[in-house]
Amino acid sequence: MEDRELMLLALEEAQKAAELGEVPVGAVIARRGEVVASAHNTRETEKNATHHAELIAIDRACRALGGWRLWECELFVTLEPCPMCAGAIVNSRIRRVVYGAKDEKAGCCGSVTDLFALPFNHRPVVESGLLEEESHALLQRFFERLREQRREGSKPKWKKPQS
Amino acid sequence: MEDRELMLLALEEAQKAAELGEVPVGAVIARRGEVVASAHNTRETEKNATHHAELIAIDRACRALGGWRLWECELFVTLEPCPMCAGAIVNSRIRRVVYGAKDEKAGCCGSVTDLFALPFNHRPVVESGLLEEESHALLQRFFERLREQRREGSKPKWKKPQS
């Protein structure tokens, strides 16, 4: 499969997250153009801070391939990875990362910082902007709907921390 | 429990990793001085790049407490967190991180970089050096043994990537 097809699959994953009321981010890991793992953000549904799309996909790819070194793998993700996911990319030796939309608030492939420019023991190739508009539009619609729900006073799926 | 006791538990976790032939790192998450979760590095055993002590402990703490915001929790870890684990600390809103030994190669609380100095939406309090000598000695013994095994030609538990 080509890059664009793989990113379309990542977008389908992001759509699944949106349907759950989750921030719509989706990820696909491929090896030699074949899908090895795919996942979407389930932080709210699973009530788990580690359940970002990329981290789940990396976990699944390690299980699928039976090893922690994903050095032949490429990651396609609709949103620029956060520090946790960028760190997991370094740790798993993923060779190439392709992402859609930039994340000005938490992105670690150039937006807030560029973790891959630091002297860690692995540095992936990074490409950005593939299906950026589609990825961004999905996120924008999600946050617009969230703001509407808040204005209308209906209970959003996001809960404030409890003491 | 006091900080020192919690770090001693993290050291016990690190010892469990050493016994498995894993890089000896252990982590404990506590809330108001009570242990919520503990874990040790199982990257080789589980063949999984995400199986660092801190990430497993954060995953377990979210499951134990039923939410992704660990804002009342403190993390005790024998080695300075890597980018993935430092990112997971930001994502889970852990309020305080206490670590033992510095990690000059991958540490993201000041050694390679300080991720917590960046404008993410959460910044934990960080303290270092608690039981540093003990944490460092455990790592040092592990790597000395690994080098000995390599000199003797016996097969280490670490495998090279396969094509």
mmCIF file of all heavy atoms in Angstrom, chain A residues 1-35:
data_model
loop_
_atom_site.group_PDB
_atom_site.id
_atom_site.type_symbol
_atom_site.label_atom_id
_atom_site.label_comp_id
_atom_site.label_asym_id
_atom_site.label_seq_id
_atom_site.Cartn_x
_atom_site.Cartn_y
_atom_site.Cartn_z
ATOM 1 N N MET A 1 0.830 -1.202 0.000
ATOM 2 C CA MET A 1 0.000 0.000 0.000
ATOM 3 C C MET A 1 0.872 1.264 0.000
ATOM 4 O O MET A 1 1.945 1.268 0.595
ATOM 5 C CB MET A 1 -0.896 0.025 1.253
ATOM 6 C CG MET A 1 -1.987 -1.032 1.222
ATOM 7 S SD MET A 1 -2.868 -1.123 2.808
ATOM 8 C CE MET A 1 -4.064 0.186 2.604
ATOM 9 N N GLU A 2 0.351 2.280 -0.644
ATOM 10 C CA GLU A 2 1.068 3.550 -0.736
ATOM 11 C C GLU A 2 0.812 4.396 0.518
ATOM 12 O O GLU A 2 -0.137 4.153 1.262
ATOM 13 C CB GLU A 2 0.572 4.342 -1.955
ATOM 14 C CG GLU A 2 0.732 3.638 -3.284
ATOM 15 C CD GLU A 2 2.194 3.475 -3.674
ATOM 16 O OE1 GLU A 2 2.966 4.431 -3.473
ATOM 17 O OE2 GLU A 2 2.564 2.399 -4.161
ATOM 18 N N ASP A 3 1.660 5.411 0.701
ATOM 19 C CA ASP A 3 1.529 6.311 1.856
ATOM 20 C C ASP A 3 0.105 6.851 2.020
ATOM 21 O O ASP A 3 -0.444 6.871 3.109
ATOM 22 C CB ASP A 3 2.467 7.518 1.697
ATOM 23 C CG ASP A 3 3.915 7.158 2.009
ATOM 24 O OD1 ASP A 3 4.221 5.956 2.200
ATOM 25 O OD2 ASP A 3 4.734 8.091 2.046
ATOM 26 N N ARG A 4 -0.473 7.305 0.887
ATOM 27 C CA ARG A 4 -1.786 7.961 0.952
ATOM 28 C C ARG A 4 -2.878 6.995 1.420
ATOM 29 O O ARG A 4 -3.733 7.362 2.236
ATOM 30 C CB ARG A 4 -2.141 8.517 -0.442
ATOM 31 C CG ARG A 4 -3.241 9.541 -0.423
ATOM 32 C CD ARG A 4 -3.620 9.973 -1.840
ATOM 33 N NE ARG A 4 -5.032 10.286 -1.861
ATOM 34 C CZ ARG A 4 -5.535 11.459 -1.515
ATOM 35 N NH1 ARG A 4 -4.749 12.435 -1.165
ATOM 36 N NH2 ARG A 4 -6.840 11.657 -1.535
ATOM 37 N N GLU A 5 -2.793 5.760 0.940
ATOM 38 C CA GLU A 5 -3.776 4.743 1.358
ATOM 39 C C GLU A 5 -3.642 4.452 2.851
ATOM 40 O O GLU A 5 -4.629 4.276 3.561
ATOM 41 C CB GLU A 5 -3.523 3.434 0.606
ATOM 42 C CG GLU A 5 -4.006 3.392 -0.813
ATOM 43 C CD GLU A 5 -3.576 2.071 -1.449
ATOM 44 O OE1 GLU A 5 -2.396 1.978 -1.868
ATOM 45 O OE2 GLU A 5 -4.408 1.147 -1.514
ATOM 46 N N LEU A 6 -2.374 4.377 3.319
ATOM 47 C CA LEU A 6 -2.130 4.085 4.734
ATOM 48 C C LEU A 6 -2.635 5.230 5.610
ATOM 49 O O LEU A 6 -3.218 5.003 6.676
ATOM 50 C CB LEU A 6 -0.637 3.811 4.964
ATOM 51 C CG LEU A 6 -0.152 2.481 4.349
ATOM 52 C CD1 LEU A 6 1.356 2.463 4.187
ATOM 53 C CD2 LEU A 6 -0.620 1.295 5.202
ATOM 54 N N MET A 7 -2.456 6.469 5.133
ATOM 55 C CA MET A 7 -2.958 7.601 5.911
ATOM 56 C C MET A 7 -4.482 7.645 5.883
ATOM 57 O O MET A 7 -5.112 8.066 6.868
ATOM 58 C CB MET A 7 -2.356 8.918 5.401
ATOM 59 C CG MET A 7 -2.644 10.092 6.297
ATOM 60 S SD MET A 7 -1.951 9.927 7.987
ATOM 61 C CE MET A 7 -0.492 10.948 7.832
ATOM 62 N N LEU A 8 -5.090 7.195 4.777
ATOM 63 C CA LEU A 8 -6.560 7.121 4.747
ATOM 64 C C LEU A 8 -7.060 6.116 5.788
ATOM 65 O O LEU A 8 -8.088 6.362 6.442
ATOM 66 C CB LEU A 8 -7.048 6.746 3.340
ATOM 67 C CG LEU A 8 -7.089 7.905 2.340
ATOM 68 C CD1 LEU A 8 -7.321 7.394 0.908
ATOM 69 C CD2 LEU A 8 -8.168 8.934 2.706
ATOM 70 N N LEU A 9 -6.326 5.031 5.981
ATOM 71 C CA LEU A 9 -6.690 4.065 7.030
ATOM 72 C C LEU A 9 -6.537 4.695 8.419
ATOM 73 O O LEU A 9 -7.369 4.460 9.311
ATOM 74 C CB LEU A 9 -5.806 2.816 6.941
ATOM 75 C CG LEU A 9 -6.107 1.842 5.804
ATOM 76 C CD1 LEU A 9 -5.149 0.653 5.885
ATOM 77 C CD2 LEU A 9 -7.557 1.353 5.863
ATOM 78 N N ALA A 10 -5.472 5.490 8.596
ATOM 79 C CA ALA A 10 -5.282 6.188 9.876
ATOM 80 C C ALA A 10 -6.449 7.153 10.118
ATOM 81 O O ALA A 10 -6.946 7.283 11.246
ATOM 82 C CB ALA A 10 -3.950 6.931 9.889
ATOM 83 N N LEU A 11 -6.917 7.800 9.039
ATOM 84 C CA LEU A 11 -8.079 8.701 9.151
ATOM 85 C C LEU A 11 -9.352 7.930 9.525
ATOM 86 O O LEU A 11 -10.178 8.427 10.295
ATOM 87 C CB LEU A 11 -8.294 9.456 7.839
ATOM 88 C CG LEU A 11 -7.655 10.834 7.766
ATOM 89 C CD1 LEU A 11 -7.659 11.343 6.325
ATOM 90 C CD2 LEU A 11 -8.365 11.839 8.674
ATOM 91 N N GLU A 12 -9.492 6.731 8.980
ATOM 92 C CA GLU A 12 -10.644 5.888 9.366
ATOM 93 C C GLU A 12 -10.587 5.564 10.862
ATOM 94 O O GLU A 12 -11.611 5.550 11.544
ATOM 95 C CB GLU A 12 -10.647 4.574 8.567
ATOM 96 C CG GLU A 12 -11.220 4.720 7.176
ATOM 97 C CD GLU A 12 -11.198 3.397 6.403
ATOM 98 O OE1 GLU A 12 -11.204 2.311 7.026
ATOM 99 O OE2 GLU A 12 -11.150 3.455 5.168
ATOM 100 N N GLU A 13 -9.373 5.293 11.352
ATOM 101 C CA GLU A 13 -9.200 5.042 12.790
ATOM 102 C C GLU A 13 -9.582 6.294 13.596
ATOM 103 O O GLU A 13 -10.252 6.194 14.623
ATOM 104 C CB GLU A 13 -7.747 4.650 13.094
ATOM 105 C CG GLU A 13 -7.384 3.241 12.667
ATOM 106 C CD GLU A 13 -8.058 2.164 13.530
ATOM 107 O OE1 GLU A 13 -8.320 2.409 14.719
ATOM 108 O OE2 GLU A 13 -8.338 1.076 13.000
ATOM 109 N N ALA A 14 -9.147 7.455 13.112
ATOM 110 C CA ALA A 14 -9.471 8.707 13.800
ATOM 111 C C ALA A 14 -10.989 8.910 13.869
ATOM 112 O O ALA A 14 -11.533 9.360 14.885
ATOM 113 C CB ALA A 14 -8.799 9.886 13.094
ATOM 114 N N GLN A 15 -11.662 8.529 12.781
ATOM 115 C CA GLN A 15 -13.128 8.635 12.738
ATOM 116 C C GLN A 15 -13.771 7.749 13.804
ATOM 117 O O GLN A 15 -14.748 8.137 14.454
ATOM 118 C CB GLN A 15 -13.614 8.260 11.332
ATOM 119 C CG GLN A 15 -15.109 8.425 11.107
ATOM 120 C CD GLN A 15 -15.593 9.852 11.347
ATOM 121 O OE1 GLN A 15 -14.977 10.805 10.874
ATOM 122 N NE2 GLN A 15 -16.681 10.018 12.109
ATOM 123 N N LYS A 16 -13.197 6.564 14.019
ATOM 124 C CA LYS A 16 -13.712 5.665 15.069
ATOM 125 C C LYS A 16 -13.601 6.336 16.440
ATOM 126 O O LYS A 16 -14.495 6.196 17.281
ATOM 127 C CB LYS A 16 -12.904 4.355 15.112
ATOM 128 C CG LYS A 16 -13.144 3.422 13.942
ATOM 129 C CD LYS A 16 -12.324 2.134 14.131
ATOM 130 C CE LYS A 16 -12.152 1.393 12.816
ATOM 131 N NZ LYS A 16 -11.170 0.290 12.925
ATOM 132 N N ALA A 17 -12.462 7.043 16.671
ATOM 133 C CA ALA A 17 -12.281 7.757 17.941
ATOM 134 C C ALA A 17 -13.360 8.832 18.081
ATOM 135 O O ALA A 17 -13.991 8.951 19.140
ATOM 136 C CB ALA A 17 -10.890 8.383 18.006
ATOM 137 N N ALA A 18 -13.602 9.586 17.000
ATOM 138 C CA ALA A 18 -14.624 10.652 17.035
ATOM 139 C C ALA A 18 -15.981 10.084 17.426
ATOM 140 O O ALA A 18 -16.711 10.684 18.223
ATOM 141 C CB ALA A 18 -14.707 11.342 15.666
ATOM 142 N N GLU A 19 -16.294 8.916 16.883
ATOM 143 C CA GLU A 19 -17.607 8.301 17.176
ATOM 144 C C GLU A 19 -17.740 7.891 18.635
ATOM 145 O O GLU A 19 -18.854 7.753 19.147
ATOM 146 C CB GLU A 19 -17.829 7.102 16.236
ATOM 147 C CG GLU A 19 -18.211 7.579 14.835
ATOM 148 C CD GLU A 19 -17.963 6.536 13.751
ATOM 149 O OE1 GLU A 19 -17.808 5.343 14.094
ATOM 150 O OE2 GLU A 19 -17.900 6.930 12.560
ATOM 151 N N LEU A 20 -16.602 7.684 19.297
ATOM 152 C CA LEU A 20 -16.611 7.351 20.735
ATOM 153 C C LEU A 20 -16.609 8.601 21.617
ATOM 154 O O LEU A 20 -16.610 8.488 22.843
ATOM 155 C CB LEU A 20 -15.367 6.519 21.091
ATOM 156 C CG LEU A 20 -15.255 5.105 20.536
ATOM 157 C CD1 LEU A 20 -13.855 4.568 20.782
ATOM 158 C CD2 LEU A 20 -16.301 4.209 21.199
ATOM 159 N N GLY A 21 -16.546 9.793 20.974
ATOM 160 C CA GLY A 21 -16.436 11.024 21.742
ATOM 161 C C GLY A 21 -15.011 11.297 22.188
ATOM 162 O O GLY A 21 -14.765 12.078 23.108
ATOM 163 N N GLU A 22 -14.059 10.652 21.532
ATOM 164 C CA GLU A 22 -12.636 10.824 21.835
ATOM 165 C C GLU A 22 -12.031 11.855 20.887
ATOM 166 O O GLU A 22 -12.489 11.992 19.755
ATOM 167 C CB GLU A 22 -11.882 9.498 21.602
ATOM 168 C CG GLU A 22 -12.336 8.341 22.437
ATOM 169 C CD GLU A 22 -11.646 8.309 23.799
ATOM 170 O OE1 GLU A 22 -10.750 9.121 24.050
ATOM 171 O OE2 GLU A 22 -12.030 7.451 24.612
ATOM 172 N N VAL A 23 -10.970 12.544 21.308
ATOM 173 C CA VAL A 23 -10.224 13.399 20.387
ATOM 174 C C VAL A 23 -9.812 12.519 19.194
ATOM 175 O O VAL A 23 -9.185 11.482 19.382
ATOM 176 C CB VAL A 23 -8.974 14.009 21.067
ATOM 177 C CG1 VAL A 23 -8.161 14.819 20.079
ATOM 178 C CG2 VAL A 23 -9.375 14.873 22.255
ATOM 179 N N PRO A 24 -10.242 12.901 17.971
ATOM 180 C CA PRO A 24 -10.045 12.007 16.824
ATOM 181 C C PRO A 24 -8.616 11.968 16.287
ATOM 182 O O PRO A 24 -8.207 12.827 15.505
ATOM 183 C CB PRO A 24 -11.015 12.548 15.773
ATOM 184 C CG PRO A 24 -11.228 13.968 16.147
ATOM 185 C CD PRO A 24 -11.004 14.102 17.615
ATOM 186 N N VAL A 25 -7.878 10.972 16.748
ATOM 187 C CA VAL A 25 -6.532 10.716 16.248
ATOM 188 C C VAL A 25 -6.441 9.225 15.935
ATOM 189 O O VAL A 25 -6.894 8.392 16.728
ATOM 190 C CB VAL A 25 -5.447 11.094 17.286
ATOM 191 C CG1 VAL A 25 -4.048 10.858 16.709
ATOM 192 C CG2 VAL A 25 -5.591 12.545 17.738
ATOM 193 N N GLY A 26 -5.886 8.904 14.773
ATOM 194 C CA GLY A 26 -5.736 7.509 14.371
ATOM 195 C C GLY A 26 -4.322 7.239 13.886
ATOM 196 O O GLY A 26 -3.642 8.154 13.415
ATOM 197 N N ALA A 27 -3.886 5.981 14.037
ATOM 198 C CA ALA A 27 -2.524 5.616 13.638
ATOM 199 C C ALA A 27 -2.496 4.238 12.997
ATOM 200 O O ALA A 27 -3.280 3.355 13.348
ATOM 201 C CB ALA A 27 -1.601 5.630 14.858
ATOM 202 N N VAL A 28 -1.591 4.088 12.042
ATOM 203 C CA VAL A 28 -1.379 2.807 11.366
ATOM 204 C C VAL A 28 0.126 2.551 11.302
ATOM 205 O O VAL A 28 0.898 3.466 11.021
ATOM 206 C CB VAL A 28 -1.976 2.838 9.936
ATOM 207 C CG1 VAL A 28 -1.460 1.689 9.078
ATOM 208 C CG2 VAL A 28 -3.498 2.808 9.993
ATOM 209 N N ILE A 29 0.554 1.323 11.588
ATOM 210 C CA ILE A 29 1.952 0.947 11.419
ATOM 211 C C ILE A 29 2.031 -0.076 10.289
ATOM 212 O O ILE A 29 1.256 -1.035 10.255
ATOM 213 C CB ILE A 29 2.554 0.380 12.721
ATOM 214 C CG1 ILE A 29 2.613 1.493 13.778
ATOM 215 C CG2 ILE A 29 3.949 -0.215 12.489
ATOM 216 C CD1 ILE A 29 3.120 1.060 15.129
ATOM 217 N N ALA A 30 2.944 0.196 9.350
ATOM 218 C CA ALA A 30 3.085 -0.684 8.192
ATOM 219 C C ALA A 30 4.530 -1.152 8.058
ATOM 220 O O ALA A 30 5.465 -0.457 8.464
ATOM 221 C CB ALA A 30 2.672 0.059 6.928
ATOM 222 N N ARG A 31 4.684 -2.355 7.520
ATOM 223 C CA ARG A 31 6.015 -2.859 7.199
ATOM 224 C C ARG A 31 6.007 -3.244 5.740
ATOM 225 O O ARG A 31 5.160 -4.050 5.331
ATOM 226 C CB ARG A 31 6.356 -4.067 8.081
ATOM 227 C CG ARG A 31 7.798 -4.532 7.881
ATOM 228 C CD ARG A 31 8.202 -5.595 8.874
ATOM 229 N NE ARG A 31 7.437 -6.817 8.665
ATOM 230 C CZ ARG A 31 7.829 -8.020 9.123
ATOM 231 N NH1 ARG A 31 8.925 -8.122 9.826
ATOM 232 N NH2 ARG A 31 7.093 -9.077 8.913
ATOM 233 N N ARG A 32 6.917 -2.678 4.974
ATOM 234 C CA ARG A 32 6.980 -2.885 3.515
ATOM 235 C C ARG A 32 5.599 -2.713 2.875
ATOM 236 O O ARG A 32 5.159 -3.551 2.084
ATOM 237 C CB ARG A 32 7.538 -4.275 3.202
ATOM 238 C CG ARG A 32 8.949 -4.497 3.728
ATOM 239 C CD ARG A 32 9.440 -5.906 3.432
ATOM 240 N NE ARG A 32 10.496 -6.290 4.347
ATOM 241 C CZ ARG A 32 10.577 -7.468 4.968
ATOM 242 N NH1 ARG A 32 9.660 -8.386 4.775
ATOM 243 N NH2 ARG A 32 11.564 -7.727 5.796
ATOM 244 N N GLY A 33 4.890 -1.667 3.319
ATOM 245 C CA GLY A 33 3.599 -1.339 2.722
ATOM 246 C C GLY A 33 2.431 -2.168 3.209
ATOM 247 O O GLY A 33 1.301 -1.964 2.777
ATOM 248 N N GLU A 34 2.689 -3.118 4.136
ATOM 249 C CA GLU A 34 1.578 -3.934 4.672
ATOM 250 C C GLU A 34 1.255 -3.533 6.097
ATOM 251 O O GLU A 34 2.159 -3.375 6.919
ATOM 252 C CB GLU A 34 1.954 -5.417 4.627
ATOM 253 C CG GLU A 34 2.128 -5.900 3.207
ATOM 254 C CD GLU A 34 1.790 -7.376 3.056
ATOM 255 O OE1 GLU A 34 1.384 -8.014 4.041
ATOM 256 O OE2 GLU A 34 1.939 -7.865 1.929
ATOM 257 N N VAL A 35 -0.031 -3.414 6.380
ATOM 258 C CA VAL A 35 -0.455 -2.983 7.714
ATOM 259 C C VAL A 35 -0.094 -4.045 8.756
ATOM 260 O O VAL A 35 -0.419 -5.219 8.610
ATOM 261 C CB VAL A 35 -1.974 -2.717 7.749
ATOM 262 C CG1 VAL A 35 -2.432 -2.361 9.173
ATOM 263 C CG2 VAL A 35 -2.337 -1.594 6.787
#
